[in-house]
Amino acid sequence: MLTAGPDAAGSRIDQWLAAELAPELSRARLQALVKGGSVSVNGRAVTEPKTKLAGGETIVVVLPEPEPAAPAAQAIALDILFEDDQLIVINKPAGLVVHPGAGNPDGTLVNALIHHCGDSLSGIGGVRRPGIVHRLDKDTSGVMVVAKTDQAHRALSEAFADHGRTGDLERAYWAIVWGMPERMTGTIDAPLGRSGKDRTRRAVVRETHPDARHAVTHFTTLERYGLRPDATAEAALVECRLETGRTHQIRVHMAHIGHPLIGDRDYGQAFSTKANRLPEDVAAIVRAFPRQALHAHLLAFRHPATGDLLRFEAPPPADMQALRDALRKLSGA
């Protein structure tokens, strides 16, 4: 129960409630509650968010039980790095799709989280579901954070949208690429957009392209495999840090500078024959690698409720470590 003071006179009820109940409830959520008849003023329900207050009213907001999530709960094993009542951090395996969609109606991370979290999901937008604030491609492994409450979802979404420019968000990936960038460290600043009519593939495009999105990736070469006298190499382990977070950004950017990820069938297929130059035991492991060699090894962010700086690291999964070990057999590792 809330009481509107004299200073509330002339305020819209949705705006006033949003100020009073932030950050627990967003204005959009409160507007939905008003329209659904869950807000009363002096004992009478109001259904119009634009309703003006006169000051002195008694206002009651009734939060309905979160609706069941549409995706089904499924018992899928999760590698949990951290969990509390606000969020959960997991080490996602390669091959696991994040969210149900066309071609993947179930068996996703969302299905697994609904099963694992159960009633600890307080409802994102009134629905008992996990709040996805960032994604990893199906065949990319590594650290992900997922919100369990509206408050956490909103705060984390804002942090990821800002990409750490004004906060403490830190995201780093390991990529094993063909060849070796000319410089040990560098920045790729190249806008991305759709590749032709393909809805999923991306390409570097001109800034004037209709759907061009600003995209910046910083990279550092960590290991070189098969180093040659001319300072080139057969392959390299590169750490990539995102200043923006576009679809397939690392994969497209590394391909753009001539060093696509090993195993990337979308952006590096033309480089697959380079395995023929490797010793047969190494080449066999490279050819058999089933996905793009990309792993989100580091994620750091401020906890949305406590303000504590949380930092999580995940070692490379077995398949990527095996690829790395094989390439280290080449000179210059």
Side-chain angles (χ1 to χ4, degrees):
M1 182 182 297
L2 303 169
T3 300
D7 59 344
S11 298
R12 287 174 44 143
I13 191 168
D14 61 336
Q15 293 175 334
W16 185 83
L17 285 172
E20 290 292 311
L21 299 175
E24 284 75 17
L25 295 175
S26 66
R27 184 176 172 187
R29 176 73 172 122
L30 286 163
Q31 287 176 337
L33 291 171
V34 171
K35 292 176 182 179
S38 296
V39 177
S40 63
V41 177
N42 292 336
R44 297 185 62 182
V46 294
T47 57
E48 177 50 63
K50 296 180 181 179
T51 299
K52 296 292 181 68
L53 297 173
E57 295 96 335
T58 297
I59 302 169
V60 176
V61 179
V62 178
L63 292 177
E65 284 295 313
E67 299 173 6
Q74 292 179 297
I76 300 171
L78 294 173
D79 182 2
I80 298 171
L81 305 180
F82 175 86
E83 182 177 11
D84 64 9
D85 58 355
Q86 293 285 325
L87 54 88
I88 182 170
V89 180
I90 63 115
N91 180 17
K92 187 188 88 67
L96 180 63
V97 175
V98 171
H99 200 281
N104 297 285
D106 55 21
T108 70
L109 176 61
V110 167
N111 297 106
L113 288 170
I114 290 172
H115 177 272
H116 170 80
C117 298
D119 290 340
S120 69
L121 295 172
S122 69
I124 307 296
V127 178
R128 198 182 298 280
R129 62 182 173 86
I132 304 299
V133 296
H134 69 123
R135 298 179 186 233
L136 296 178
D137 294 340
K138 173 185 176 182
D139 289 327
T140 297
S141 55
V143 188
M144 280 189 65
V145 59
V146 180
K148 296 168 70 174
T149 69
D150 257 330
Q151 177 187 356
H153 186 239
R154 185 163 58 255
L156 289 170
S157 294
E158 290 173 356
F160 275 83
D162 182 65
H163 300 293
R165 285 186 286 266
T166 60
D168 295 298
L169 181 71
E170 187 179 0
R171 301 166 71 184
Y173 296 72
W174 282 328
I176 300 179
V177 305
W178 285 112
M180 182 187 78
E182 291 183 3
R183 293 175 295 171
M184 295 295 287
T185 63
T187 296
I188 307 168
D189 186 345
L192 301 182
R194 284 187 179 178
S195 178
K197 296 182 180 180
D198 194 309
R199 296 182 60 187
T200 58
R201 284 172 60 88
R202 295 295 185 267
V204 169
V205 297
R206 295 180 181 275
E207 292 182 356
T208 55
H209 193 276
D211 69 344
R213 305 286 300 278
H214 179 58
V216 179
T217 302
H218 305 283
F219 68 84
T220 301
T221 300
L222 302 180
E223 296 179 352
R224 300 171 294 179
Y225 309 119
L227 191 61
R228 308 186 189 98
D230 62 357
T232 61
E234 295 289 355
L237 173 67
V238 177
E239 181 182 77
C240 295
R241 291 179 178 253
L242 299 179
E243 187 173 314
T244 57
R246 309 305 180 197
T247 300
H248 299 174
Q249 179 174 316
I250 292 173
R251 299 165 62 189
V252 178
H253 269 175
M254 294 309 298
H256 176 64
I257 65 170
H259 303 288
L261 276 60
I262 288 178
D264 194 334
R265 273 66 175 173
D266 290 324
Y267 304 107
Q269 184 63 31
F271 281 66
S272 61
T273 56
K274 289 184 178 294
N276 298 335
R277 303 190 311 199
L278 304 176
E280 187 51 41
D281 59 335
V282 178
I285 292 174
V286 171
R287 292 191 191 102
F289 197 74
R291 62 184 181 96
Q292 67 266 6
L294 186 61
H295 175 70
H297 82 94
L298 169 65
L299 177 63
F301 58 91
R302 288 282 174 189
H303 192 286
T306 68
D308 293 339
L309 181 61
L310 304 180
R311 185 182 181 90
F312 302 96
E313 296 186 52
D319 64 344
M320 197 159 165
Q321 186 60 49
L323 176 64
R324 188 178 175 187
D325 291 341
L327 290 168
R328 279 175 167 171
K329 295 178 181 179
L330 307 176
S331 62

